[in-house]
Amino acid sequence: MGEQRFGEFVLVRRHGEDGVVELVLDRPKAMNAVSTEMARSVAAACSALGGDQGVRVVVVTSTHERAFCVGADLKERNSFSDADLVRQRPVARGAYTGVLELPVPTIAAVHGFALGGGFELALACDLIVADGTAVVGLPEVSVGVIPGGGGTQLLPRRVGAARAAELIFTARRVEAEEAYRLGLVDQLVPVGEDRSAALALAGRIAANSPVGLRAAKRALRLGQGLDLRAGLEVEDAAWRAVAFSGDRAEGVAAFNERRAPRWPGV
């Protein structure tokens, strides 16, 4: 298992040779509140992972026992001038878009608090696995701002416009059972098992074609919001990108030879 640190607060941990990688939020003294430095580190880690063809699945986890991430570092923000806030904005956005634009499947492993920007980091992932302690929400309007890490766009894509409006306008926190029922998280697992369940899911995903996974994610993401005809053109372009790949040839051969595929990844 190899590890690489990005700044003080972000760790990348590679699991064996299956292409499963953890992006670990590691600022436990602040419950992983996203400071300027931490945002830079998340963006840098995502940039490195996005350019690594050996990465098949990324799992975002936390080292804090009671929180995934509590959102923006409001203590740091309290010291900002307006000019400071303007300068920090692209840095903060870089963290959220970094996770969102990873070209491989992504899974958030959530326990405890995932609030504001913390929940937005999870929403930027393709799938969210949560344990019974999870508490999620976008409370930004209660402190005079709005969700600015993608929440106003990603949440309605998950749960619909009206449900997202209710959650954002009330700023309420949602506990695990209701979060699962409303579709705010995708899997609900026993307390303490969010990381292990997310890694197990990542392993099942990573067993599939790397070329196919990247193309499928691209089609899913680019097709959102398009009408059916345009979406099918996006799908066709993604199909053409994989149809003549080494992975496609290996997948068909392995099926016919009744053996596990050995993906070339090209």
Side-chain angles (χ1 to χ4, degrees), residues 19 23 43 45-58 96-107 124-126 205 209-222 238 242:
L23 193 162
C46 288
S47 178
L49 293 173
D52 186 340
Q53 291 298 312
V55 175
R56 297 190 186 182
V57 186
V58 173
Y96 303 107
T97 57
V99 175
L100 185 64
E101 293 176 359
L102 281 167
V104 298
T106 51
I107 305 168
C125 294
D126 299 301
I205 293 171
S209 158
V211 172
L213 289 172
R214 287 173 180 250
K217 175 162 181 173
R218 189 162 62 249
L220 284 163
R221 285 290 174 90
L222 293 179
V242 302

Side-chain angles (χ1 to χ4, degrees), residues 50-67:
D52 186 340
Q53 291 298 312
V55 175
R56 297 190 186 182
V57 186
V58 173
V59 181
V60 184
T61 65
S62 161
T63 59
H64 196 285
E65 62 182 14
R66 293 190 296 109

Side-chain angles (χ1 to χ4, degrees), residues 28-250:
K29 291 182 179 179
M31 300 181 82
N32 290 329
V34 183
S35 63
T36 304
E37 180 185 348
M38 186 171 175
R40 283 198 185 97
S41 297
V42 170
C46 288
S47 178
L49 293 173
D52 186 340
Q53 291 298 312
V55 175
R56 297 190 186 182
V57 186
V58 173
V59 181
V60 184
T61 65
S62 161
T63 59
H64 196 285
E65 62 182 14
R66 293 190 296 109
F68 175 74
C69 172
V70 293
D73 187 342
L74 296 184
K75 290 183 178 178
E76 179 188 61
R77 292 277 181 92
N78 193 47
S79 68
F80 278 6
S81 65
D82 288 350
D84 292 331
L85 193 58
V86 169
R87 281 192 293 270
Q88 196 226 24
R89 177 60 177 161
V91 178
R93 286 193 71 186
Y96 303 107
T97 57
V99 175
L100 185 64
E101 293 176 359
L102 281 167
V104 298
T106 51
I107 305 168
V110 173
H111 60 265
F113 298 111
L115 301 172
F119 189 37
E120 288 174 306
L121 285 174
L123 288 171
C125 294
D126 299 301
L127 298 166
I128 303 174
V129 175
D131 82 354
T133 68
V135 179
V136 306
L138 297 175
E140 284 87 346
V141 297
S142 69
V143 292
V145 290
I146 70 165
T152 65
Q153 305 306 304
L154 294 170
L155 188 58
R157 283 168 166 78
R158 268 189 165 267
V159 299
R163 178 68 70 192
E166 183 262 321
L167 293 167
I168 291 171
F169 294 164
T170 62
R172 72 184 179 93
R173 299 179 178 191
V174 183
E175 295 187 357
E177 290 283 353
E178 184 184 7
Y180 177 63
R181 190 170 70 251
L182 296 180
L184 299 175
V185 304
D186 302 300
Q187 289 188 20
L188 184 60
V189 299
V191 172
E193 295 185 15
D194 54 294
R195 178 176 175 270
S196 60
L199 288 171
L201 175 59
R204 292 196 296 276
I205 293 171
N208 296 305
S209 158
V211 172
L213 289 172
R214 287 173 180 250
K217 175 162 181 173
R218 189 162 62 249
L220 284 163
R221 285 290 174 90
L222 293 179
Q224 286 183 4
L226 301 179
D227 64 39
L228 179 59
R229 186 180 296 273
L232 290 172
E233 291 304 314
V234 168
E235 181 182 81
D236 186 64
W239 179 87
R240 290 174 186 276
V242 302
F244 310 104
S245 68
D247 273 16
R248 195 277 308 171
E250 168 61 13

